[in-house]
Amino acid sequence: MAPKKKSKRSLTSRAPVAEAATQGSRATSYDVALRAGISQSAVSRCFQEGASISPKMRARVMRAAEDLGYTPNAIARSLITRRSNLIAVIISNLTNLYYPEVLAELSALASAKGIRVLLFTLSSESEIDHVLEQVWQYRVDGAISAARLSSAQIDTFSKNGVPLVLYNRYLQGSAASAVFCDQSDGARVLVERLVSVGHRRFGVIAGPRDSFVGQERVAASLQQLAKLGFHNVPVVAGEYDYESGVRGLHELVSAAKRYLQAVICANDVMAIGAMDAARFDLGIAVPDKLSVVGFDGVGPASWSSYRLTTLRQPVQRMAEATLSLLLDRISNPSLPAERRVFSGTLIEGSSAKLGPT
Amino acid sequence: MAPKKKSKRSLTSRAPVAEAATQGSRATSYDVALRAGISQSAVSRCFQEGASISPKMRARVMRAAEDLGYTPNAIARSLITRRSNLIAVIISNLTNLYYPEVLAELSALASAKGIRVLLFTLSSESEIDHVLEQVWQYRVDGAISAARLSSAQIDTFSKNGVPLVLYNRYLQGSAASAVFCDQSDGARVLVERLVSVGHRRFGVIAGPRDSFVGQERVAASLQQLAKLGFHNVPVVAGEYDYESGVRGLHELVSAAKRYLQAVICANDVMAIGAMDAARFDLGIAVPDKLSVVGFDGVGPASWSSYRLTTLRQPVQRMAEATLSLLLDRISNPSLPAERRVFSGTLIEGSSAKLGPT
DNA sequence: TTGAAAGCGCTACCAC
DNA sequence: GTGGTAGCGCTTTCAA
């Protein structure tokens, strides 16, 4: 291996080797110090907020830094400050259409606060342990998870002193902070209004088993239906994607012998799939012959071809809350866990007939 | 500030302080060494690939590590190895619907290779300098940029010894590696076939000025149109979003006095917007009265409501190529820049009438 | 205000 | 195979 060429060990009072950041290795605070004829610690101070340094000295240092193309090494800094300014964002399926919106918000907000996002995506549930291993290695200051975490996994966060905020899910009995949207209320309103306008035969396309919000949406809907006297509502499984919606509707329709009147889908994309399946595969007019509703409020839901009736999540406010919870706990680790619960907004599109407000 | 409690300085031959990773600070290789009654360097070796360590010793160390919940500190490691195993991924608009797909691919591939993704999103072009500053600070091993970079900005990468691969763009005269999809061919075919089947009055909805592929798509289309005798084709500006497509079609139609026959959109989402505007706002049947084509091949393009005729980019293969170019240059920085150019695939949906193949 | 020195937790290079 | 030692580039006391 080629020998590094930094002299080191010989402090400021050494021959001023005019040493530019040539090949590969970048300039260090040490190089800058040498060039500015000053101590290394003074250079360090120049790059800190309220450090005591005289204006003339700072100017000299900054000039030298510029000449050498010096940038402080955040890695080395975080080693000693014990702050990486890194947060982990763990997302299970970026293909969900909903999560990119969340990620974009989180990333923008974090960036504005000088925090960097280390992204971890899972293509399968089984990767989670491996991913967590990486999270620990990088000594992130905190983590946001929109992926399913077991209670034991959640515990490792506090054990490792890494604040964690769950997004769009929480674990009962676990003391993890969480931000999510309580859609039970919305689901109840939705169901009630569907019933009030005369829908009688319902079907549900559920989300994946590991989706917390999916379960909640379905459960709340079924519960309200039961309350209003509708039992044994058929539920088919889905995977949150368009094809699931298409497939789901086919299944429901064949099960219901075409008498289906309203379909509640655990997310928008499946609702869109269901609408398309109804109109194009089965020749069922939406909303005249079939009402379709979804959850999320993603972009495509509002496209003219769909104008989906859905319960929109306040993504931006939720992202803000998530980051704020996290940053609070990073600066004060002893803060107790907190849940921030939002309400969804009912978007009355034209994919379902609803009763009067 | 509370005094740290690690004794350090006293090497192995010290009183074995039974020290668990209690509050906050995590266990170090030093703690593990102490507990296993072994040297710190041996512990380090246990966590490296082909390091020489006896099985029994390794077992002992691993046990101690487990007890203490020890995980190697990647930050400290990268300080000395000069490898952070971090790559920067710079993306301008995650809201584009196309980029989340790319990001998901890149992230999955990187993860599989033991590389972590540090995500940088830009909400505006002006942030780029600030973002680059952060990229330097974190000493990433390499970078992938799907955002617009000036030639000077590109130069700073090589100046800092950070390999860079541009995604979906390249800069003429600049020696940066790049992966993109040459859609000129596809655009030519598309135009030719539109003409062959009788379209005469064209319109174009362009992408943002800073979109390299957008410019290329439009330029190639116009060029081919000119070649076939169609000059002064109206072009309206767009921002790649659904509303741009809607607005764009309105503009084109009013300019063309309703005689518009085919619209070429610089991406799928605008094409979708244009289709919706045609059908729902203006009562123009697609493709009977108007053909609409797009570029990208994003998910929604294939939804039954659209079945868009589009030129699909091989996202997965492009992501693979991008990462492979980058990793090659990380392990061998002297490798010359390279461009990997892919061809798009024409997806014949039903949003446009095309001639025979 | 400034500089010397002591590490942060780790890997690398030695001798043994 | 193993352990000591010397740093990686930085922040942080602590004296001067």
Side-chain angles (χ1 to χ4, degrees):
Chain A
M1 196 153 282
K4 284 281 147 242
K5 60 184 181 337
K6 313 270 183 198
S7 35
K8 192 68 188 277
R9 273 316 75 176
S10 54
L11 297 189
T12 35
S13 51
R14 200 67 168 99
V17 185
E19 174 176 43
T22 40
Q23 274 292 50
S25 68
R26 315 245 287 263
T28 71
S29 61
Y30 208 86
D31 301 325
V32 176
L34 228 53
R35 186 170 231 272
I38 207 178
S39 78
Q40 181 271 330
S41 38
V43 173
S44 171
R45 265 181 255 124
C46 284
F47 290 89
Q48 292 173 60
E49 270 310 299
S52 79
I53 191 94
S54 69
K56 52 194 69 171
M57 184 134 280
R58 148 170 258 125
R60 219 160 78 207
V61 169
M62 286 317 199
R63 221 193 105 66
E66 184 118 349
D67 292 348
L68 265 41
Y70 168 75
T71 317
N73 184 328
I75 298 286
R77 171 184 294 159
S78 57
L79 190 55
I80 191 152
T81 58
R82 291 148 177 293
R83 271 269 177 289
S84 59
N85 280 323
L86 248 38
I87 60 170
V89 173
I90 309 170
I91 294 189
S92 44
N93 46 353
L94 255 188
T95 47
N96 190 331
L97 206 60
Y98 168 75
Y99 283 109
E101 298 186 7
V102 178
L103 182 57
E105 287 295 337
L106 285 176
S107 169
L109 289 170
S111 171
K113 305 211 183 234
I115 307 277
R116 243 56 49 200
V117 168
L118 203 50
L119 179 66
F120 296 88
T121 56
L122 317 175
S123 7
S124 100
E125 283 286 313
S126 55
E127 289 179 38
I128 184 73
D129 277 315
H130 178 244
V131 159
L132 290 184
E133 198 59 36
Q134 299 299 323
V135 172
W136 309 142
Q137 294 215 4
Y138 277 89
R139 300 301 195 261
V140 294
D141 292 343
I144 294 171
S145 174
R148 187 172 192 290
L149 255 34
S150 73
S151 149
Q153 284 160 343
I154 288 178
D155 288 346
T156 56
F157 279 85
S158 56
K159 207 166 286 164
N160 281 314
V162 178
L164 166 71
V165 179
L166 303 178
Y167 185 96
N168 243 3
R169 67 196 64 221
Y170 73 88
L171 208 61
Q172 229 141 18
S174 154
S177 293
V179 171
F180 57 95
C181 197
D182 174 20
Q183 286 149 113
S184 332
D185 267 347
R188 274 190 285 273
V189 171
L190 213 50
V191 166
E192 203 170 303
R193 294 192 39 199
L194 284 170
V195 170
S196 80
V197 81
H199 295 90
R200 290 295 174 266
R201 298 188 64 101
F202 293 87
V204 172
I205 304 179
R209 265 199 314 283
D210 62 350
S211 165
F212 173 77
V213 286
Q215 299 297 340
E216 202 194 28
R217 290 162 178 177
V218 170
S221 302
L222 290 178
Q223 196 182 336
Q224 184 67 13
L225 281 170
K227 206 162 162 184
L228 297 176
F230 299 93
H231 302 278
N232 302 325
V233 171
V235 179
V236 301
E239 290 299 322
Y240 273 169
D241 57 357
Y242 179 85
E243 285 71 27
S244 291
V246 172
R247 210 179 315 122
L249 191 76
H250 281 278
E251 289 180 37
L252 285 175
V253 164
S254 59
K257 305 204 171 60
R258 279 189 152 268
Y259 286 127
L260 194 66
Q261 293 173 321
V263 184
I264 299 169
C265 305
N267 80 344
D268 283 350
V269 177
M270 292 197 299
I272 285 173
M275 282 181 77
D276 278 352
R279 300 189 293 198
F280 299 105
D281 299 349
L282 303 167
I284 301 174
V286 175
D288 298 338
K289 295 291 172 195
L290 180 71
S291 286
V292 177
V293 301
F295 288 86
D296 273 348
V298 296
S302 62
W303 291 352
S304 303
S305 290
Y306 301 107
R307 302 187 27 73
L308 194 65
T309 296
T310 184
L311 210 60
R312 173 175 296 158
Q313 295 204 21
V315 172
Q316 197 169 340
R317 286 169 55 213
M318 287 173 71
E320 275 167 22
T322 304
L323 206 61
S324 131
L325 278 182
L326 187 62
L327 296 187
D328 286 353
R329 272 148 196 79
I330 288 173
S331 46
N332 183 2
S334 61
L335 245 38
E338 188 180 333
R339 285 182 192 162
R340 221 103 113 189
V341 188
F342 290 81
S343 302
T345 311
L346 183 60
I347 305 294
E348 306 201 16
S350 56
S351 68
K353 278 185 291 195
L354 294 184
T357 314
Chain B
M1 198 152 280
K4 283 281 146 244
K5 59 178 187 335
K6 312 271 184 199
S7 35
K8 192 68 188 276
R9 271 317 75 176
S10 53
L11 296 189
T12 35
S13 50
R14 201 65 167 100
V17 185
E19 174 176 42
T22 40
Q23 273 294 45
S25 69
R26 315 247 286 263
T28 71
S29 62
Y30 206 85
D31 300 327
V32 176
L34 229 52
R35 186 171 232 272
I38 208 178
S39 78
Q40 182 271 331
S41 37
V43 173
S44 171
R45 265 182 258 124
C46 284
F47 290 89
Q48 291 173 60
E49 270 310 299
S52 78
I53 191 93
S54 70
K56 51 193 69 170
M57 185 134 281
R58 147 170 259 125
R60 217 162 77 208
V61 168
M62 286 317 198
R63 218 193 108 63
E66 184 118 350
D67 293 348
L68 264 39
Y70 169 75
T71 316
N73 184 329
I75 298 285
R77 172 184 295 161
S78 57
L79 190 56
I80 192 153
T81 58
R82 292 150 175 293
R83 271 269 177 292
S84 59
N85 281 322
L86 248 36
I87 60 170
V89 174
I90 309 171
I91 294 190
S92 43
N93 46 355
L94 256 189
T95 48
N96 190 330
L97 207 60
Y98 168 76
Y99 284 109
E101 297 185 8
V102 178
L103 182 58
E105 287 296 337
L106 285 176
S107 169
L109 290 170
S111 171
K113 305 212 182 234
I115 306 275
R116 242 58 48 198
V117 168
L118 203 50
L119 179 66
F120 295 89
T121 56
L122 315 176
S123 7
S124 102
E125 284 286 313
S126 55
E127 289 179 39
I128 184 72
D129 277 314
H130 177 244
V131 160
L132 290 184
E133 195 60 36
Q134 299 298 323
V135 172
W136 310 141
Q137 295 216 3
Y138 276 88
R139 301 300 194 263
V140 294
D141 292 343
I144 294 170
S145 174
R148 188 174 192 287
L149 255 34
S150 73
S151 147
Q153 284 160 343
I154 288 179
D155 288 345
T156 55
F157 279 85
S158 55
K159 206 166 288 165
N160 281 314
V162 178
L164 166 70
V165 179
L166 303 178
Y167 185 97
N168 242 2
R169 66 196 64 221
Y170 74 88
L171 209 59
Q172 228 140 19
S174 154
S177 293
V179 171
F180 56 96
C181 196
D182 175 19
Q183 287 150 111
S184 332
D185 268 347
R188 275 190 285 273
V189 172
L190 213 51
V191 165
E192 205 170 299
R193 296 197 30 206
L194 283 170
V195 169
S196 79
V197 82
H199 296 89
R200 290 296 174 264
R201 299 188 63 101
F202 293 87
V204 171
I205 304 180
R209 266 198 314 282
D210 61 349
S211 164
F212 172 79
V213 286
Q215 300 296 340
E216 201 193 29
R217 290 163 178 177
V218 170
S221 302
L222 290 177
Q223 197 182 335
Q224 184 66 11
L225 282 169
K227 206 163 164 182
L228 297 176
F230 300 93
H231 301 279
N232 301 326
V233 172
V235 178
V236 302
E239 290 299 322
Y240 273 168
D241 57 357
Y242 179 84
E243 285 71 27
S244 291
V246 172
R247 210 180 314 122
L249 191 77
H250 281 278
E251 289 179 38
L252 285 175
V253 164
S254 58
K257 302 200 174 60
R258 279 190 152 266
Y259 287 128
L260 195 66
Q261 294 173 321
V263 184
I264 299 169
C265 306
N267 80 344
D268 283 350
V269 177
M270 292 197 300
I272 284 173
M275 284 181 75
D276 278 351
R279 300 189 293 198
F280 299 105
D281 299 349
L282 302 166
I284 302 174
V286 174
D288 298 339
K289 295 292 174 193
L290 180 72
S291 286
V292 177
V293 301
F295 289 86
D296 274 347
V298 296
S302 63
W303 291 352
S304 304
S305 290
Y306 301 108
R307 301 187 28 73
L308 195 64
T309 296
T310 184
L311 210 59
R312 174 176 296 159
Q313 295 204 19
V315 173
Q316 198 169 339
R317 286 170 53 215
M318 287 173 70
E320 274 166 24
T322 305
L323 207 61
S324 128
L325 279 183
L326 187 62
L327 296 186
D328 286 353
R329 274 149 194 78
I330 288 173
S331 46
N332 183 2
S334 61
L335 245 39
E338 187 179 333
R339 284 182 193 163
R340 221 102 115 191
V341 188
F342 290 80
S343 302
T345 311
L346 183 59
I347 305 294
E348 305 201 16
S350 56
S351 68
K353 279 184 292 196
L354 295 184
T357 314

